[in-house]
Every structure is written in structure tokens, then in C-alpha cells.
Amino acid sequence: MSGRKAELVEQVARIRDLDLRLLDRVSREALTLDRNWMVEYARWQSGNWQTMSLYNDSGDPSDVAIRDCEARETTVLEHMPATRELLRSFGLKYMWVRIARLPANTFLWEHSDYRDLADLERHRLHIPLHTNRSATLTLGGARVHLGYGSLWRLVPTNRHGACNLSGPDRLHIIMDCYADDTFRDLTSNLTLDDNDIQWLPEATDGEISAHLDEAVALGKLGYHQAAEHSLLKLFYQYSMPEGMGYDLVIRAYEMMGEHARAEQWRLEKKVKLCLA
Ligand SMILES: [Fe+2]
């Protein structure tokens, strides 16, 4: 395994295959959910990434802002017997479990997670329930597609982003759990196929300056959000140093003479990348 692939496996990896008959039932249950979807973490996304809780401390599926707790099943699992069976089968000590819907043309901007939580060892697992090849995580200079049929691990304290370019909706179960022997046994064999990975090229100076000029032109016309998104989306197109998308937004606003907006984005960068 190459050095950069080994580094990537440290950040995201396939744990093992799941029972497809059970997973198909879980997927059908998820696709018929029509209530309790919540838009949380709005600053972290381009819009409309929705979640619902399956395990938390209140039992309320619309309570979706994660925190350390002793989690129990939420009321929605009463109507999702296959999902309940699957989640119980791992024997993990859950902190929180959500189901997340990422619609077409939606982006979770570059960020790191767990910033405000206690200093405990916790881990994040993903189960794709409905997905497509344009739905990927971006991290470690690559885009990685989490395929249906497997259980995956993501280390979300590393910077990462997610996108679903073409649709249909990407539906994932996201399980935050505390470290214990069960977790360690479950994750003892991590792999990543080359087919799961799309390595991203580095941008040339000319490409960066062309994107910057386009964003400045949009901003001068008053399309501030379009300008910001055009630069933040470069994170999914190029392998870029940490926070470069945010730095480009700041530079664009400085070029426009919009210093207050530039200052606001300096703060956004610190918050999203846990630099504050
Ligand atoms: Fe995240």
C-alpha cells in the first residue's frame, strides 16, 4: 500500500460487509421516513443537509445537535424494526446515532468535528443506505465514495467535507460511539479499495487566480453567496492545503474592498477547522 493511501486509510476505511438482506430492509425503512427531518449545523453546509436521531439522550428524533451522553433509542426506532435490529447487533456503546440525508447539489464544507465535546475517546461509523457515485467524502487529498453494503469508519477530527453532486439523495446512518473492546474488535481490519478513491489534482496558480477573479466578479455584482460557494467548492475539485477555500474567500473579499466580510470569514475558518 502506498504511503498516501495508508494515510488515507487512517482517516476513512471500510470495516466489513453487512448482511445485505437486513441492510435492504433498513434502506427501505429509511427511504419512507417523512417526518422529524431537521436542518442543523446550517453554517457548515450549502443548505438542506438534514438529520434525524435514532439514538440520543432525550429519545426525541428531532433532537439532533450531538453531545456526550448515555444514548437510548429514539421513538422513531419503534417504527423501524430492521434498523433497530441492525444497530443493536453491533453491541456498541453509542453516544449518538443519526440518519442523514444529503440531497443533490449539496455540500458540507471543509471542517473538523467533535470540537465542543468532552475529552473522551469516541469514534464515528457510517452505514450508507442509499447513495450514488457522485456522493463522496473529501479528505486527505482524495474523494472517497462510501459504497452500499459495507460498514465504514471516518475519523472526523481530521478535516473533511462531503458532497452529493448529481443525486439522488445520499442517505447514511452516522453512529458516534465510545471506545471499548467491542469497537476495537469490530475495527481491527480496515481496508480501502482503489475503486473507492479518486485522487484530486493540485491546482495551478493560474487556475486559482482564474477562480478568484470569477468570484470577485460575482461578488461585485452582489452575488456574495454564489461567490463564496464557488471558492469553497474548490475543496472537492483540488487537493488543497488546510483551509485554503476559506483563505480564498477572505482574499476575494479583500480584493473587493469588503473588509468586514473578510473578517467574518476569518472567524468562520477558525470555527469550522477548530482553530479557535
Ligand atoms: Fe463532519
Side-chain angles (χ1 to χ4, degrees):
M1 192 185 297
S2 70
R4 68 175 181 170
K5 185 172 170 184
E7 283 178 22
L8 192 59
V9 171
E10 293 291 312
Q11 300 189 43
V12 64
R14 191 189 297 265
I15 296 171
R16 68 169 170 84
D17 290 338
L18 297 169
D19 175 349
L20 280 182
R21 286 207 310 197
L22 179 58
L23 191 60
D24 286 350
R25 286 170 55 211
V26 174
S27 176
R28 280 199 296 276
E29 287 177 353
L31 284 165
T32 56
L33 290 170
D34 58 357
R35 285 183 295 169
N36 297 307
W37 289 107
M38 306 297 292
V39 175
E40 184 71 50
Y41 304 108
R43 287 166 68 187
W44 272 253
Q45 53 166 302
S46 62
N48 219 25
W49 178 69
Q50 300 173 314
T51 55
M52 179 187 310
S53 290
L54 305 179
Y55 273 72
N56 62 16
D57 55 352
S58 68
D60 177 357
S62 63
D63 178 6
V64 293
I66 67 169
R67 54 190 173 267
D68 282 297
C69 68
E70 203 164 311
R72 60 188 169 102
E73 294 175 359
T74 68
T75 53
V76 74
L77 279 182
E78 291 165 16
H79 313 288
M80 304 176 74
T83 307
R84 179 158 58 186
E85 180 185 336
L86 178 66
L87 291 175
R88 286 181 180 177
S89 72
F90 297 117
L92 292 164
K93 189 177 174 203
Y94 293 125
M95 175 192 125
W96 213 279
V97 180
R98 293 168 289 174
I99 187 161
R101 181 160 67 190
L102 188 70
N105 194 28
T106 303
F107 297 79
L108 292 175
W109 306 128
E110 179 187 2
H111 69 282
S112 306
D113 290 308
Y114 295 164
R115 161 194 161 76
D116 295 324
L117 303 178
D119 189 18
L120 296 169
E121 186 181 345
R122 67 179 72 71
H123 299 274
R124 178 165 291 175
L125 306 178
H126 277 241
I127 302 175
L129 300 180
H130 193 248
T131 191
N132 68 82
R133 289 295 303 188
S134 84
T136 54
L137 295 179
T138 300
L139 68 180
R143 292 179 55 195
V144 179
H145 172 67
L146 274 53
Y148 183 78
S150 297
L151 174 65
W152 297 80
R153 186 186 78 156
L154 168 69
V155 180
T157 47
N158 297 310
R159 67 194 182 100
H160 60 282
C163 66
N164 180 3
L165 299 179
S166 67
D169 289 358
R170 189 202 81 167
L171 278 170
H172 277 195
I173 292 178
I174 302 175
M175 306 144 71
D176 292 303
C177 57
Y178 294 110
D180 59 11
D181 287 343
T182 306
F183 176 82
R184 278 182 279 275
D185 288 347
L186 182 67
T187 55
S188 58
N189 182 30
L190 300 173
T191 62
L192 206 49
D193 292 344
D194 287 337
N195 284 339
D196 302 325
I197 307 169
Q198 180 191 348
W199 294 104
L200 294 172
E202 290 186 11
T204 64
D205 290 346
E207 285 168 329
I208 289 294
S209 107
H211 288 298
L212 205 47
D213 288 346
E214 279 174 31
V216 169
L218 282 169
K220 283 183 174 171
L221 289 170
Y223 299 119
H224 293 108
Q225 189 182 72
E228 292 161 5
H229 287 191
S230 73
L231 294 171
L232 295 176
K233 285 178 186 176
L234 298 180
F235 179 68
Y236 309 89
Q237 189 177 341
Y238 300 111
S239 173
M240 302 203 302
E242 180 173 37
M244 185 172 170
Y246 297 108
D247 291 337
L248 290 173
V249 174
I250 294 163
R251 253 173 78 193
Y253 278 130
E254 295 290 9
M255 288 165 73
M256 288 179 235
E258 300 234 27
H259 302 295
R261 288 183 192 270
E263 199 52 42
Q264 183 192 331
W265 277 93
R266 284 192 186 92
L267 178 63
E268 290 292 324
K269 177 186 174 185
K270 282 185 185 168
V271 169
K272 295 198 174 64
L273 297 175
C274 302
L275 304 172

